[in-house]
Amino acid sequence: MPVSPDRPSARLAREGALRVADRGTRSARQRVARLRRRGPNIVQCGLAGAAAWGIAHHLLGHPTPFFAPVAAVVALGASYQGRLRRTGEVVVGVAVGIGVGDLVAQQIGVGVWQLAVVVSLSMALAVLLDAGQLLVTQAGVQAGIVTSLAAPVSAGVDRWVDALVGGSVALVVAALLPTAPLLRPRRLAAGVLDELAELVGEAAAAARDADGGRAEAALERARRSQVAQDDLRAAAVEALAAVRLSPFRRRHRPGLEAVSELAVPLDRAVRNVRVLVRRVAVAEHRDEVLPAELAGVLEDLATSSRLLGEAVLAGRRDEDLQLELAELGRRAGAVGERHLGLSAAVCVGQVRSTVVDLLQVGGWDQEVALRHVPAVGPPPA
């Protein structure tokens, strides 16, 4: 018998299908975004691999320089951080593996047990050199290749030269890297501020309309906001590593360091807003009355956060906005001077703390920010 569309089972099936479709859409967007972020590095790896093979084959005359592109791609890796170290480990690991493999294979020959001995000895020597995991792995791989192919010593030297060519090409490509990775931290910082503005705006609407469902939805969204903070920190570390590697991008370093320093007050601001949103949700759940002035303060805080995001993205300091934020902290303090319930008092405290954090994002140091938004009493004239 066909199931009536009005039956609970049919409704649950439709809702389940919609949830699956929504998860699939979000997953596809995340994969595309991940590809977009890593696209420049993928192109770099492709170009470096081709260049390394061309140099080793056409200029050095190596018939099949398979390790030149391998070394270039491994040295570039998935990130800019640690490229110099990875390049050194690849080259030294190849030298250790080939050296041990050639010497030992000439004494004991080649075969199954000889392969086990040579690979173990090479990796053990790399560990004794206090090497990283990549160097240890490369030593074992190259020793295995030497033993398996029973290649002549000259071939081993060629492979080491190929590794050196690949590593050198990787460093040159990294030095000429595009500016996209350098711009990403600032964009992410602005994105965090935009998300913070959205959360505060939702909290304002929930407080104004006494909408518990909207407050709960905002709280769920706030709980997912930590991912953007983690992305910002990782992008800042990545960009600084790229600048250190490229002599042509040193002028970007002060700006990147400034953006990197925003991560701490931004993290505090997001955490404060998360508590704020949770308290609005608690207030609606308990039918606590929030003062009407609080919703207005929250709406202005959302607007100021959005404007601050635009300033961060443009790399400028907006003193007028700083003063408006300080005034917003004063207004929140005025609301707090009234006799408030627990949830309202917590919300006022979180607004003032968030303002202090945003003032630091805007360029004031902590002492100045706290002086303009004191815990008690009016701000300085």
Side-chain angles (χ1 to χ4, degrees), residues 89-378:
E89 289 191 355
V90 168
V91 175
V92 175
V94 170
V96 170
I98 291 173
V100 173
D102 280 332
L103 290 174
V104 177
Q106 290 177 15
Q107 300 299 320
I108 64 175
V110 295
V112 175
W113 69 269
Q114 290 93 334
L115 178 64
V117 170
V118 169
V119 170
S120 299
L121 284 175
S122 298
M123 298 182 74
L125 178 58
V127 170
L128 289 176
L129 293 174
D130 197 22
Q133 184 59 46
L134 181 58
L135 195 158
V136 174
T137 301
Q138 289 299 324
V141 168
Q142 288 307 305
I145 291 175
V146 169
T147 309
S148 300
L149 300 179
V153 175
S154 61
V157 174
D158 286 349
R159 274 198 301 277
W160 184 80
V161 173
D162 290 343
L164 189 60
V165 168
S168 300
V169 169
L171 291 179
V172 170
V173 170
L176 300 175
L177 60 91
T179 58
L182 310 184
L183 300 177
R184 187 165 177 258
R186 193 172 295 280
R187 290 171 181 162
L188 287 173
V192 170
L193 286 164
D194 286 342
E195 178 65 12
L196 186 144
E198 291 291 331
L199 291 172
V200 175
E202 287 298 300
R208 183 184 60 246
D209 302 333
D211 189 339
R214 192 165 190 173
E216 289 291 342
L219 178 58
E220 184 61 31
R221 180 174 177 176
R223 287 168 176 159
R224 298 194 299 267
S225 60
Q226 190 61 40
V227 175
Q229 281 293 106
D230 296 340
D231 288 345
L232 172 59
R233 286 196 184 89
V237 172
E238 185 98 335
L240 285 170
V243 167
R244 284 192 290 268
L245 197 59
S246 174
F248 306 104
R249 308 296 180 186
R250 297 290 167 82
R251 60 188 175 87
H252 292 278
R253 184 165 184 169
L256 283 172
E257 288 176 342
V259 174
S260 179
E261 290 172 358
L262 298 183
V264 174
L266 268 178
D267 183 61
R268 288 199 300 261
V270 170
R271 292 176 186 275
N272 280 322
V273 167
R274 198 176 298 146
V275 175
L276 167 66
V277 173
R278 181 165 62 246
R279 204 65 215 187
V280 171
V282 169
E284 301 307 330
H285 178 71
R286 296 178 177 175
D287 293 326
E288 297 182 45
V289 178
L290 297 175
E293 300 95 318
L294 178 61
V297 168
L298 291 176
E299 288 171 350
D300 290 344
L301 179 59
T303 300
S304 296
S305 300
R306 194 170 290 109
L307 292 174
L308 183 58
E310 294 175 2
V312 168
L313 183 60
R316 57 181 170 81
R317 181 167 170 169
D318 191 333
E319 281 298 327
D320 290 338
L321 179 58
Q322 293 290 92
L323 295 175
E324 290 174 10
L325 276 168
E327 172 63 17
L328 190 59
R330 187 198 65 79
R331 286 172 52 199
V335 175
E337 291 174 358
R338 297 168 43 186
H339 180 67
L340 301 174
L342 176 60
S343 292
V346 171
C347 289
V348 168
Q350 295 307 125
V351 168
R352 289 162 67 84
S353 296
T354 303
V355 167
V356 171
D357 298 329
L358 294 182
L359 286 172
Q360 292 176 70
V361 172
W364 289 2
D365 62 36
Q366 188 175 33
E367 182 180 349
V368 174
L370 287 171
R371 191 165 64 246
H372 280 79
V373 189
V376 294

Side-chain angles (χ1 to χ4, degrees), residues 52-63 65 68 158 161-166:
W53 190 93
I55 292 171
H57 179 71
H58 295 293
L59 295 184
L60 302 181
H62 297 176
D158 286 349
V161 173
D162 290 343
L164 189 60
V165 168

Side-chain angles (χ1 to χ4, degrees), residues 57-102:
H57 179 71
H58 295 293
L59 295 184
L60 302 181
H62 297 176
T64 54
F66 71 93
F67 205 73
V70 171
V73 173
V74 171
L76 287 174
S79 68
Y80 297 102
Q81 190 178 8
R83 281 184 170 180
L84 185 59
R85 175 183 54 78
R86 284 200 302 268
T87 301
E89 289 191 355
V90 168
V91 175
V92 175
V94 170
V96 170
I98 291 173
V100 173
D102 280 332

